[in-house]
Amino acid sequence: MNPPRTTPGPDRRRLVLWRHGRTSWNVQDRAQGQADIPLDPVGRRQARRAAPALASFEPAFVWSSDLDRARSTARELAVLTGLGVRLDARLREYDVGIRQGTTFAEFRRSHPEVYERFFAEENYRVPGAELPSEVDERMTAVLGDAAAALGEGRTGVLVGHGAALRSGLLAFFDAPPRMREMFAGMANCAWTVLEEHPQRGWQIVDYNARTLPGASSALADEMPPHHVSKDAPAPP
């Protein structure tokens, strides 16, 4: 992978969206949602190894989901930069309701009717869960606040979760839900870079960047139905 570009230009602002490291539930393909699952040993190593690349952006601030797996990832960057970490619950993963803790196969067996509607309806509310549109709303709000907090030529890092970050990214650009199919899931400890062009506005200049060979890309377990195929195998 090419090293990150650390100088966006004298006046360009930048947002870096960083997904947390691996957890044991990522390995088991279980929907984590807002369960407070910690990083596993591999996830802690991923965060430690990726942090220098994020530090090279010379961030002005670090905001993080308040869930442990994101906080622990953000902490590795804070150690290198000397910055405090601002916790923001708007950066949390989807609340997946009754899907929490299950694999897709378990979800299908235990709630077959809900499973079918989950894949058939674009903005369906799984019992106990957030609507995809509600996640889009809170993620758009926090990305907008982060952008507004940036001075000229400065970078902000937001640490969160795969499904919410990808949904929030598309919502930030007001893209229709069907366009999410164009983007692969963000790998554990991968990041996406947005940069503000002086004429064209915010642009995606890097997506799913990572420093780790063979990093896991598992995230589909959190996704609403327009993100995954019900006939597809569980994510790696």
Side-chain angles (χ1 to χ4, degrees), residues 17 19 28 32 43 48 51-52 54 63 98-99 101 126 154 165 170 185 197 204-205 212 214 223 226:
L17 314 181
R19 189 192 177 198
Q28 299 167 22
Q32 294 179 111
R48 197 170 302 120
L54 277 292
W63 295 3
I98 61 172
R99 292 186 53 233
V126 169
R154 304 307 302 274
L165 286 176
L170 273 292
H197 188 278
I204 301 170
V205 298
L212 305 175
M223 285 294 183
H226 49 269

Side-chain angles (χ1 to χ4, degrees), residues 12 196-203:
R12 294 195 186 186
E196 189 180 40
H197 188 278
Q199 285 82 43
R200 301 186 182 96
W202 286 96
Q203 298 178 315

